[in-house]
Amino acid sequence: MLSESGVHKLSTWLQDEAMHRLYEKFVLRYFLRHHPEYLPKAAYINWDVDNADHSPYLPAMKSDITLQNGQRTLIIDTKYYRRTMQRNPMYNYWTFNSSHLYQIYAYVKNWDKGGTGKVAGILLYAKTDEEITPDAEMVIGGNQISLKTLDLNQEWVGITSQLEHLCEWLGKVKTLKSEKE
């Protein structure tokens, strides 16, 4: 299938799951190449459980990308879906995808066992043709949670600028405790 500019779209050749994995690997490889100082990796996240009796039955949590800068950690979960937002049919309004938000929140809170606020999470969506795309930053339960959209249909300089902004953001993470002092 040709796009309006006459260029083939990769997504017409690959299934959604393959595109998701390709997007995930692209973002991880970007940080491996351009920011090895942040120790980029896909990391397993241990559940913050008091009773180890149930731990063999808990599902594995594995981040797509984890970046670390000193005591600060940024967990990035990449999302490649045709729909980035969800519509509430009962009230006819758009919301962030709840399962995605719950997922990044679980990753962040289980990594930040001490409740330091030094762990942040980003849901990084690939831009679609949707009119409304996720772009928000908020503090939930003491941790920074962001939803961002990466536009892959632009010049390389624009893509790298958006990815670099995530690194800048990592350097700017503040804990709520230090802000109160």
Side-chain angles (χ1 to χ4, degrees):
M1 180 174 177
L2 295 178
S3 68
E4 290 179 20
S5 63
V7 179
H8 290 279
K9 288 187 175 184
L10 184 60
S11 63
T12 60
W13 292 321
L14 297 175
Q15 298 296 322
D16 286 347
E17 184 63 27
M19 286 300 294
H20 173 78
R21 294 286 167 235
L22 181 62
Y23 178 57
E24 175 185 326
K25 297 301 179 198
F26 163 73
V27 176
L28 176 58
R29 296 281 186 238
Y30 177 86
F31 288 115
L32 283 167
R33 178 168 171 87
H34 297 282
H35 291 287
E37 71 275 17
Y38 292 139
L39 309 171
K41 63 184 173 193
Y44 282 98
I45 301 166
N46 294 320
W47 285 89
D48 185 12
V49 295
D50 291 335
N51 185 347
D53 293 343
H54 299 295
S55 57
Y57 303 105
L58 292 172
M61 285 191 286
K62 186 176 182 186
S63 69
D64 292 342
I65 300 139
T66 303
L67 305 175
Q68 294 183 293
N69 182 11
Q71 295 180 348
R72 293 171 288 188
T73 301
L74 177 64
I75 300 170
I76 302 172
D77 196 57
T78 57
K79 299 294 185 190
Y80 188 96
Y81 292 98
R82 283 180 170 70
R83 296 265 176 232
T84 57
M85 302 285 286
Q86 65 185 32
R87 181 183 288 277
N88 181 319
M90 188 170 191
Y91 300 107
N92 197 29
Y93 66 90
W94 292 97
T95 66
F96 298 130
N97 186 303
S98 58
S99 63
H100 297 170
L101 200 52
Y102 296 146
Q103 179 184 18
I104 195 69
Y105 182 75
Y107 287 3
V108 167
K109 294 312 273 186
N110 280 282
W111 190 291
D112 191 18
K113 291 172 180 52
T116 65
K118 294 181 181 180
V119 180
I122 296 179
L123 289 170
L124 186 61
Y125 291 92
K127 185 169 179 12
T128 64
D129 58 0
E130 289 179 292
E131 194 172 310
I132 301 171
T133 57
D135 185 23
E137 293 183 9
M138 61 200 94
V139 175
I140 304 175
N143 295 89
Q144 184 76 29
I145 303 289
S146 299
L147 296 92
K148 298 293 180 186
T149 303
L150 178 61
D151 184 358
L152 297 169
N153 192 25
Q154 62 177 321
E155 296 294 324
W156 179 246
V157 69
I159 294 170
T160 59
S161 175
Q162 286 187 268
L163 291 170
E164 289 299 315
H165 180 69
L166 299 179
C167 287
E168 291 171 13
W169 185 85
L170 173 67
K172 294 178 184 177
V173 172
K174 298 177 186 175
T175 65
L176 293 181
K177 290 179 184 176
S178 67
E179 289 175 1
K180 292 177 183 175
E181 297 174 351

